[in-house]
Structure formats: structure tokens, C-alpha cells
Amino acid sequence: MERPGLVEVGQTVEVTESVTPFNVNYMIEPAVAMSGLFKLNDRIPADHGVVKAIEENDRGYYVTVTFEYE
């Protein structure tokens, strides 16, 4: 995340998935933050999650989202 205040801890967020031939990544909508790359077999089978933490460091803001799924 590039700047504070776009999401808050406890907020439910929608995520969209972007798939390449080898990897998958996720975007908190509307274009709030983007994940790193995951292997295809580590895909998240949910499209909503809850923001659990927001941390700031020299590189920006890191958002931790938890997902519930079976």
C-alpha cells in the first residue's frame, strides 16, 4: 500500500486474483494494495478477507489480510 488510510484494521476487503502461467497474485480492490507472487498450488480460495494488521517501513505500508475458507 502506498499511503495510509486506504484500509483500516478490522475492515472486510475484496481481493481479486491475477493468474500467470506459473504464479498468482492478489489485489485489494479498488487497487489499494498488491500481494507478492504465490505458486499456483498456493492459491487463496476466497475473494474477501479481513485486514488484521497494517505495518509501515521504509518501503511502504504492508497490509496483512486473513481469509476464512474450507
Side-chain angles (χ1 to χ4, degrees), residues 18-24 26 38-44:
S18 178
V19 180
T20 69
F22 303 104
N23 299 303
V24 61
Y26 298 91
F38 292 87
K39 294 179 183 178
L40 286 174
N41 59 345
D42 292 331
R43 292 171 76 175
I44 299 170

Side-chain angles (χ1 to χ4, degrees), residues 37-58:
L37 297 174
F38 292 87
K39 294 179 183 178
L40 286 174
N41 59 345
D42 292 331
R43 292 171 76 175
I44 299 170
D47 62 357
H48 288 79
V50 177
V51 176
K52 289 299 179 185
I54 301 171
E55 298 177 25
E56 180 184 7
N57 66 21
D58 294 339

Side-chain angles (χ1 to χ4, degrees), residues 11-15 46-51 65-68:
Q11 180 179 347
T12 299
V13 293
E14 178 184 354
V15 296
D47 62 357
H48 288 79
V50 177
V51 176
V65 177
T66 58
F67 299 90
E68 290 188 26

